[in-house]
Every structure is written in structure tokens, then in C-alpha cells.
Amino acid sequence: MDTLDLARWQFAITTVYHFIFVPITIGLSALVAGLQTAWVRTGREEYLRATKFWGKLFLINFAMGVVTGLVQEFQFGMNWSAYSRFVGDIFGAPLAIEGLLAFFLESTFLGLWIFGWDRLPKRVHLATIWLASFGTMLSAYFILAANSWMQHPVGYTVNAERGRAELTDIGAVLTNSTALVTFPHTITACFLTAGALLLAVSAWHLRRRNQVEVFRPGLKLGAWVVLISGVGVFITGDLQARIMTEQQPMKMAAAEALYDTSQPASFSVFTIGSLNGREELASVRIPSLLSLLATGSPSGEVEGINDIQQRYSQQYGEGDYVPYVPVTYWSFRLMIGFGGLAMAIAALALWSTRKDRLPRGRWLWIAAVSAVAMPLLANSFGWIFTEVGRQPWTVFGLFKTAQSVSPSVATSQAATSVIVLTLLYGGLAVIELVLMLRYARAGAPETVVPPDEDDPDRPLAFAY
């Protein structure tokens, strides 16, 4: 491996790892806010117990997400300094807004929520968790706006003298069509992930008949969130596929390993091909489905890899503009498959626990507990597809990945960085797993007595 390969591996490892925590944090913050709202409106103690239980898991993931997110910023200067120099004037703007506005919003009000249980009036305290949740979504939007510019650059001009892209319209960057379809797709995926966590942890407790009054509603809430958000993921994903076909037709062609332009184009559910992905040996296909996904019409034309390669060679100069097809092909299907499997488990859980039933067979509970992994895998494969499918570009049509790596970083330095960060993240994974399992198994607090707001001797702060 050379420096470029190692830098790409490091960014892939740290990014996929970081995005394990992000969707849980975003989705769970809103669900915790919803549970606390139910407690404030009804006064029922089980809602308060659920709020504090899921709030602990939310805070663990928030902290881990912050720690791993810091590395993402540093990597641009460490391994990708040429990229940073080229896009810094544009890419830095939404990231700066995210840090100065969105992150401070969520962290400030999250602090007020943690330490304000016995200091703030109920409704004011409730507002703090809703504002923290809003901050997490706002943060996601600005980061996605930056990534969307890499997928579809707008609002810029290239300064040939300085050899860099320069911002001309921040509004165009923030309202990029790619960002506008990516944001709802990502947020619904976040709710899918958080709902699966509620479903899995609640199922673990219900199998043991622990705190049924807290975890039966938790299981139903989680399952419904998975189903509703799952529908949202598929709808927004369909819209995103059409935008992607317009802006990056090579990515859609690679997602199907479609080498020759077809009208209509079928979608292969499963394909066995050669190692380089260039020859199909056997497949199971759904007629016209790819045309429907790519163009919105079952008879639409989908451009093939060979034609796009020829066109790009004329437009951008000689070179290989085809991403690694096997990874692009399978990551696309695994993303869809794991998301659909999570929805199927949620539907099974709802059906099996209808009319206050609690089945005694272990297979339902095993499936429900395993549901937590499905959206995490779907999210990971989704980002792998998004980034691998854009290759060989870091900024589509403007700047290639081979141009982006830091020229002064030696292969030995890049290798050391990959090894150190992988070991460090492995240690953090152990810490995260231990904390999540410990607090998830502990269950909700048995009795929660809200502090008297007029009592001068009340505790100074609520502690998790």
C-alpha cells in the first residue's frame, strides 16, 4: 500500500466508526424528548423512568460521538492537506457554522438538561432537551451540506492562479439539491437506528419479564418508529437515487454493475460475477426496477458504465472513471437489505406482542435483540456506497482523490497513524460496549420522585 491507500483506509475506518454513534444520538435525543413530554403532560411515573433510562444511553453515545468526531476534523490537515487547501474556502464554511452554531446549541442545552432537573421549571427543562435535539439535527444538516458539495459542487469558482476553489454563494451551498434530499434520508435513518435500539433493549428486558410497565411501551414505541422511519428511508432514498442519477450517473451504473446502456434496465437482487465485476455469471433480476429507481419511469433509459467512461474521458481527460464495482454493487444491496430486515423484525415484534401478549418462545426475542445491529450495518454500507461510488473524485468533476492526499506524509507515517487510531478506536469500542451493556441491563430506576421545586434543601443537581 502507498500513502494514498493508507490514508483512505484510515478515513474509512474512522468515519464508519464515528457514524455508529451519530444516528443513535440524533434519533434518541428526539425520542427521549418525546418521552419527557409525555411525562410532563400526563404525570405518569413510567414515562419519567423511561426518560431517565434512555437518557443515560443517549448521553453515553453523545460523548463517544464527540470524541470520535474530533478526529474527523484533524484528518483533513493530517492526511488530506492538498484537499483542504483546494476546498477549504468552501468546505470550511458549513463546518464552521456547524461548530459555532449547531454544536454549541446542542451542547449548551444538553448541559442545562443534565443539570437542570432540580433547578428549572418542568416545561423550561423540557424545552432544553428539545433544543438539544434540534441542535443535533441542525449539526447534521451543515455537515451533510459540506459532503453534498463534494458530491455536487455548486456556488463556487476555481481560482486558477491560486489553484483552489473559492466560495461565491453560501446560499447555493446550503440549499444544494443533493443536501436537500440527503438530509431527510439521513434523519429518517437516524430514527430507524434509535427505534431499533429501543426495540432491542426493551425485548431483552421483556424476555426476562423485567419492568414490563416501562419496556412494553418501549418495545412498541421502538417498533413503530422503525416501521414509520423505514418507510421514510425508502421514500427519500428513491428521491435521492434520481438526483444521484442526474448528477453522478456512474455511481448508479456501478450500483447495478450495468456496463451497457439499457432501456428499460432491470435490477439484480443477487448476482454472481467475476472478481473485477465486469462479467456476470448468474443473477436474479426484477425487470424494469432499475429504470424506475433511476428515472422514475419503468421504461426509462439508464446509461451504462462503458458509455459514461467514454463521455468522462472526453470531458475530463484520459483516465479511469469507474469506481470499484463489486464494493459499490454489494454495499448498495446490503444497505437496502439490512434496512428492510430491521423493518421486518419490527413488524414481527408488534404482531407477536399485540393485545398485551408476551410470547415465551426465545426466537422472537433473539430476533428483536439483533435488530439493533441492522440499521447500524445499513448506515455503514450506505456511506461506503456513497463514498466509494464517487471515486476517483473527492470533489466530483473537480478534484481527484489521488490529488488530495498530503504530499509530505510518508507511507510509514500513514501506516503508524492507521495502526494507532485503529487500536485506539478498538479500546473506545470496548468502553462503549461495556457502558451500554451495563446501563442497559440495569433497567429503569424503580421509583423516581421529582424534586420539590420549592424545597430549599433539594439536591443541587441531578446526576446520571
Side-chain angles (χ1 to χ4, degrees):
M1 288 188 179
D2 58 14
T3 302
L4 175 61
D5 294 327
L6 291 167
R8 291 180 66 184
W9 269 108
Q10 177 177 304
F11 201 85
I13 292 168
T14 55
T15 300
V16 170
Y17 187 94
H18 173 62
F19 205 75
I20 291 173
F21 311 110
V22 170
I24 294 176
T25 298
I26 293 174
L28 201 54
S29 65
L31 295 180
V32 169
L35 288 168
Q36 186 171 342
T37 301
W39 169 64
V40 170
R41 290 177 62 88
T42 67
R44 291 171 57 181
E45 186 185 57
E46 57 265 34
Y47 286 130
L48 179 59
R49 293 168 63 194
T51 299
K52 295 191 174 183
F53 172 75
W54 297 112
K56 290 179 182 179
L57 303 186
F58 160 63
L59 290 174
I60 293 169
N61 276 276
F62 181 86
M64 196 65 71
V66 171
V67 171
T68 56
L70 291 173
V71 177
Q72 301 300 101
E73 302 278 353
F74 287 126
Q75 284 188 96
F76 291 121
M78 292 167 53
N79 287 344
W80 304 100
S81 62
Y83 167 81
S84 298
R85 183 180 182 281
F86 183 78
V87 305
D89 190 61
I90 303 169
F91 195 76
L95 292 184
I97 297 172
E98 186 273 334
L100 295 173
L101 176 63
F103 179 72
F104 275 99
L105 175 70
E106 62 186 277
S107 57
T108 298
F109 284 102
L110 185 59
L112 288 171
W113 184 70
I114 294 171
F115 299 107
W117 278 92
D118 57 345
R119 307 302 298 176
L120 297 174
K122 272 186 182 181
R123 294 185 183 277
V124 173
H125 184 255
L126 174 62
T128 62
I129 184 61
W130 276 115
L131 286 168
S133 177
F134 174 72
T136 63
M137 297 185 193
L138 194 62
S139 180
Y141 186 83
F142 289 121
I143 292 172
L144 289 171
N147 181 268
S148 295
W149 188 84
M150 298 168 64
Q151 311 291 339
H152 178 56
V154 294
Y156 74 97
T157 184
V158 175
N159 188 321
E161 183 179 346
R162 296 185 177 182
R164 59 181 299 199
E166 296 181 351
L167 182 65
T168 59
D169 187 353
I170 184 63
V173 173
L174 296 180
T175 59
N176 189 340
S177 58
T178 306
L180 294 179
V181 296
T182 302
F183 178 70
H185 186 62
T186 303
I187 293 301
T188 49
C190 291
F191 278 100
L192 178 65
T193 307
L197 178 66
L198 262 69
L199 171 62
V201 175
S202 297
W204 189 88
H205 283 282
L206 289 177
R207 185 187 179 190
R208 293 158 178 79
R209 302 313 191 256
N210 294 341
Q211 301 178 324
V212 175
E213 70 283 0
V214 173
F215 290 109
R216 184 196 295 277
L219 182 142
K220 290 185 177 295
L221 173 62
W224 277 115
V225 169
V226 167
L227 285 175
I228 295 171
S229 60
V231 172
V233 168
F234 278 93
I235 293 173
T236 56
D238 178 61
L239 296 174
Q240 193 176 24
R242 297 177 196 179
I243 292 290
M244 180 183 71
T245 303
E246 294 176 8
Q247 297 170 352
Q248 298 183 59
M250 181 66 84
K251 185 184 292 186
M252 178 55 81
E256 179 52 34
L258 182 69
Y259 279 86
D260 298 316
T261 300
S262 299
Q263 184 181 12
S266 62
F267 180 86
S268 59
V269 178
F270 180 84
T271 296
I272 299 174
S274 59
L275 291 177
N276 62 8
R278 293 182 179 272
E279 183 181 352
E280 178 183 308
L281 303 179
S283 66
V284 176
R285 293 187 168 273
I286 301 176
S288 302
L289 181 57
L290 183 64
S291 291
L292 185 63
L293 290 172
T295 67
S297 170
S299 60
E301 179 182 270
V302 182
E303 198 173 7
I305 290 173
N306 293 330
D307 289 339
I308 300 171
Q309 167 65 27
Q310 184 178 3
R311 177 159 58 85
Y312 282 2
S313 295
Q314 296 173 352
Q315 183 176 355
Y316 302 116
E318 291 299 322
D320 185 1
Y321 297 97
V322 182
Y324 188 57
V325 173
V327 171
T328 311
Y329 177 92
W330 284 111
S331 60
F332 187 66
R333 279 146 187 79
L334 291 170
M335 170 188 67
I336 297 171
F338 281 119
L341 188 56
M343 294 177 66
I345 293 173
L348 177 64
L350 283 174
W351 175 258
S352 302
T353 57
R354 69 191 186 282
K355 297 181 181 179
D356 295 331
R357 298 178 183 179
L358 284 180
R360 295 194 173 275
R362 64 175 185 168
W363 293 111
L364 168 68
W365 303 118
I366 292 174
V369 170
S370 70
V372 69
M374 305 306 163
L376 295 174
L377 290 168
N379 294 335
S380 297
F381 284 115
W383 275 111
I384 290 170
F385 167 73
T386 298
E387 298 303 302
V388 172
R390 191 185 62 240
Q391 299 305 311
W393 306 99
T394 44
V395 182
F396 182 77
L398 286 182
F399 207 63
K400 292 185 177 180
T401 306
Q403 299 172 275
S404 304
V405 71
S406 298
S408 60
V409 174
T411 302
S412 58
Q413 293 173 319
T416 301
S417 178
V418 171
I419 293 169
V420 170
L421 283 174
T422 301
L423 293 175
L424 175 62
Y425 275 33
L428 290 175
V430 172
I431 295 172
E432 161 81 5
L433 190 60
V434 168
L435 289 174
M436 289 293 286
L437 289 177
R438 176 186 298 172
Y439 287 103
R441 287 172 174 170
E446 287 297 337
T447 304
V448 178
V449 180
D452 183 355
E453 295 177 3
D454 297 323
D455 181 6
D457 296 323
R458 65 187 183 276
L460 290 178
F462 174 80
Y464 273 99

